[in-house]
Amino acid sequence: MRKVYTAATAAADVEAVFRLLEGRWKLVILFHLFGGQVQRFSDLEKLIPGISQKMLAQQLRQLEADGIVERRQYPQVPPKVEYRMTEWGQALCPALDSLLKWSEEKQGSEEDVTRKNIDRVGES
Amino acid sequence: MRKVYTAATAAADVEAVFRLLEGRWKLVILFHLFGGQVQRFSDLEKLIPGISQKMLAQQLRQLEADGIVERRQYPQVPPKVEYRMTEWGQALCPALDSLLKWSEEKQGSEEDVTRKNIDRVGES
DNA sequence: CCGTATCCCCCATGATACTG
DNA sequence: CAGTATCATGGGGGATACGG
């Protein structure tokens, strides 16, 4: 049984999802973890040019708090910490893919729009 | 033939989509237009409590510029302006729905996570 | 009815330095 | 290796007023 939405609640819930993923670096991090990949803090630092330690730590903390990413810490010296997607987090991948597919559709749709506008010239 | 993505390009493209939809009011507007609904400026003003004219105009302009929403102006007094989804914009609906479905999955996945954490106690 | 124009504030991000 | 702590900043969004 699917949840029922009004325009307001649907928008609010999508916004809630956006808030989980907004943040300058979260999506890059996620795409480096999708598909079961496991990365250490320093791996992500290397994989993501331009990110600072502060931002990497902050975004990972938030993703972890939101249940999207799992942090696994090994009590040893030197420290070793691994990050991976949670099961739920991994399930986000196809949803993001549908957004990508949508953005790919843009090209094909533009000629149609042009034709529609031409057809509409002189409309009341 | 699908476009091929790296972690960086996939993230960049999803971010591009997010930028189209980010904005305090865009999603509410969209959900009031999805499914072929047509709304006048003043309709949207009434439908969306708390929005200012400035913000409504601004968000509509951006949605229009991005090809998501279509603005149809009738040259008459008093002015009449209608907004509706473009074909491409309407295609966004199922993609957003997959995000909603994902957020609905959260509940079911949380007990599992708890169990996993318990199982993992004492792990090296 | 359908918008612009201004001013202002806040918070996410960045730079930089330090630590168990 | 894997992080905090602190300070600075800029642009998105709100309040308010005005215009065709």
Side-chain angles (χ1 to χ4, degrees), chain A residues 40-42 53 61 71 79 81 83:
Chain A
R40 300 183 57 169
F41 189 90
S42 52
Q53 291 186 319
R61 292 277 163 285
R71 179 191 138 108
V81 181
Y83 295 92

Side-chain angles (χ1 to χ4, degrees), chain B residues 38-94:
Chain B
V38 177
Q39 309 281 4
R40 301 184 57 172
F41 189 91
S42 51
D43 292 333
L44 291 169
E45 233 182 316
K46 287 167 207 153
L47 287 168
I48 307 172
I51 198 170
S52 67
Q53 292 186 319
K54 166 193 164 179
M55 289 310 296
L56 180 54
Q58 178 192 100
Q59 309 276 291
L60 284 170
R61 291 280 163 284
Q62 293 177 11
L63 290 170
E64 189 197 356
D66 292 331
I68 295 169
V69 156
E70 181 194 328
R71 179 191 140 106
R72 209 173 283 190
Q73 179 171 3
Y74 300 88
Q76 60 186 44
V77 182
K80 178 178 169 184
V81 182
E82 286 177 349
Y83 295 92
R84 70 196 67 202
M85 303 300 292
T86 62
E87 202 174 316
W88 181 60
Q90 179 60 41
L92 175 62
C93 193

